[in-house]
Amino acid sequence: MVTTRIGAINAWLVKTLLATLVTLTAHAQLLPPNPQIDASGFLAVTEQALLHREQRRVSEQAFLRMSTEPGTVVLDARSSEKFRVMHVKGAINLSFPDITAASLARVIPSKQTRVLIYCNNNFSNELGAFPTKLPSASLNLSTYAALYNYGYRNVLELGPNVDAKTTKLRLIAAQQLQ
């Protein structure tokens, strides 16, 4: 009797879920497409960007050397709050949600400019400034793909995870800004 009852409940649940799915699918098809959102385009450009990125990851030493060379922009796409807490010396903050064609043109006027990027997941032992994200949610991935999508191809990414306490990169903390 219990088995029959569970079977009936499961059958009802499956029917309800299927009906809901059919309703949601029909509803989604009734909505007009949003020309400001292109999921398939996003996936295509992200795939291209990630293939391009594989040869564009650099060591801490190379990042340090290039960051001091004229014409190089060090871009920090973390929140302005985290940037204020600590950032790589000389970095420019353009928070990821604020990346647009216009904001990039202000910060990096030439698409040929060498751009160095880093994110939270490049630094350990300083969680207040660099809280660790899931590896698949690393901001470097999103930032690289966005820059690539806007036509910036001379982007290099700090590859390793370095200890914020011992890195050779000069990190500027909030108290040093005052």
Side-chain angles (χ1 to χ4, degrees):
M1 181 165 188
V2 172
T3 306
T4 306
R5 188 173 221 186
I6 291 172
I9 291 171
N10 283 342
W12 175 84
L13 185 57
V14 168
K15 286 179 187 177
T16 303
L17 287 174
L18 285 174
T20 302
L21 182 59
V22 167
T23 302
L24 290 175
T25 303
H27 178 69
Q29 291 172 352
L30 295 176
L31 294 175
N34 183 338
Q36 300 291 349
I37 300 172
D38 180 3
S40 59
F42 168 78
L43 291 174
V45 78
T46 299
E47 183 178 17
Q48 293 169 10
L50 293 179
L51 289 172
H52 187 260
R53 172 186 167 268
E54 284 307 309
Q55 303 304 314
R56 310 287 299 168
R57 297 175 68 239
V58 298
S59 68
E60 176 184 17
Q61 193 62 36
F63 190 96
L64 177 62
R65 178 183 47 77
M66 287 187 278
S67 71
T68 63
E69 293 174 356
T72 298
V73 171
V74 179
L75 181 67
D76 185 327
R78 297 175 305 136
S79 70
S80 57
E81 175 190 345
K82 295 303 180 192
F83 180 82
R84 280 191 299 275
V85 173
M86 184 176 286
H87 61 271
V88 171
K89 181 181 180 182
I92 296 169
N93 181 233
L94 179 57
S95 184
F96 185 79
D98 297 327
I99 292 177
T100 64
S103 65
L104 285 169
R106 278 193 306 278
V107 175
I108 314 166
S110 170
K111 292 183 179 181
Q112 286 70 46
T113 298
R114 178 169 51 203
V115 180
L116 302 177
I117 64 171
Y118 65 92
C119 74
N120 292 341
N121 288 19
N122 286 119
F123 297 96
S124 56
N125 290 323
E126 192 59 61
L127 292 177
F130 303 105
T132 304
K133 294 182 174 288
L134 288 173
S136 58
S138 171
L139 188 56
N140 275 350
L141 300 173
S142 303
T143 303
Y144 198 99
L147 292 170
Y148 187 92
N149 199 9
Y150 283 105
Y152 294 84
R153 298 294 190 271
N154 195 10
V155 178
L156 296 129
E157 173 189 331
L158 178 60
N161 177 279
V162 297
D163 188 324
K165 310 275 189 229
T166 61
T167 181
K168 291 177 176 54
L169 296 170
R170 176 102 188 272
L171 297 177
I172 305 298
Q175 63 269 21
Q176 292 174 300
L177 296 174
Q178 300 169 3

